[in-house]
Amino acid sequence: MEGQATLEQRMLTDTLGAFGEGTTTITAERGILLLEGWLNALRGDVGAERILAELSTLRDMLKEPNPHGEQIRHLLLSIASHTASLSHEPTIEPAVERQLKQLVTVLRDVSSQL
């Protein structure tokens, strides 16, 4: 339907909003909710298996009482790399491309804080 945002687009907007300008830290609980949203949004997408596995692993790590920062940092960087690749796909609209690139920056910034 024209003009209606897809679940993926809404998740992208929600995720960027949660992190603000990259200076906002979010709780593990909020991170888990965002990851659950992404898992739902990407489920069934062709080629999304690897990123789905990483998102699932990250969600599970955040549920642990004492998450391992280095492993989380590694996953965030890997997800950022996948997102950067996706932003260069020819089928991505310019506005979505800008948001994906912003998400890459946020993921890298968050990983550097761990």
Side-chain angles (χ1 to χ4, degrees):
M1 197 180 260
E2 284 293 316
Q4 187 173 8
T6 66
L7 183 53
E8 292 94 341
Q9 290 167 326
R10 289 193 311 265
M11 284 306 307
L12 183 56
T13 300
D14 289 351
T15 302
L16 290 173
F19 284 99
E21 297 297 315
T23 58
T24 304
T25 56
I26 63 170
T27 64
E29 293 80 16
R30 178 72 194 268
I32 291 167
L33 288 174
L34 285 170
L35 290 165
E36 290 288 348
W38 277 110
L39 290 168
N40 288 328
L42 296 175
R43 194 164 281 122
D45 280 5
V46 176
E49 297 85 10
R50 181 169 179 177
I51 199 158
L52 281 168
E54 289 179 336
L55 292 172
S56 181
T57 300
L58 181 56
R59 177 203 55 203
D60 294 344
M61 288 178 149
L62 291 176
K63 288 181 179 180
E64 294 176 8
N66 296 310
H68 192 273
E70 187 60 30
Q71 291 174 334
I72 292 172
R73 187 180 78 74
H74 175 72
L75 277 171
L76 288 172
L77 289 173
S78 181
I79 293 167
S81 177
H82 293 303
T83 304
S85 295
L86 179 64
S87 73
H88 297 297
E89 291 289 322
T91 57
I92 300 295
E93 297 175 15
V96 174
E97 178 185 354
R98 282 189 300 277
Q99 286 183 304
L100 289 171
K101 288 180 178 179
Q102 185 180 358
L103 181 58
V104 169
T105 300
V106 166
L107 291 170
R108 289 178 177 157
D109 288 348
V110 170
S111 74
S112 71
Q113 297 171 20
L114 298 175

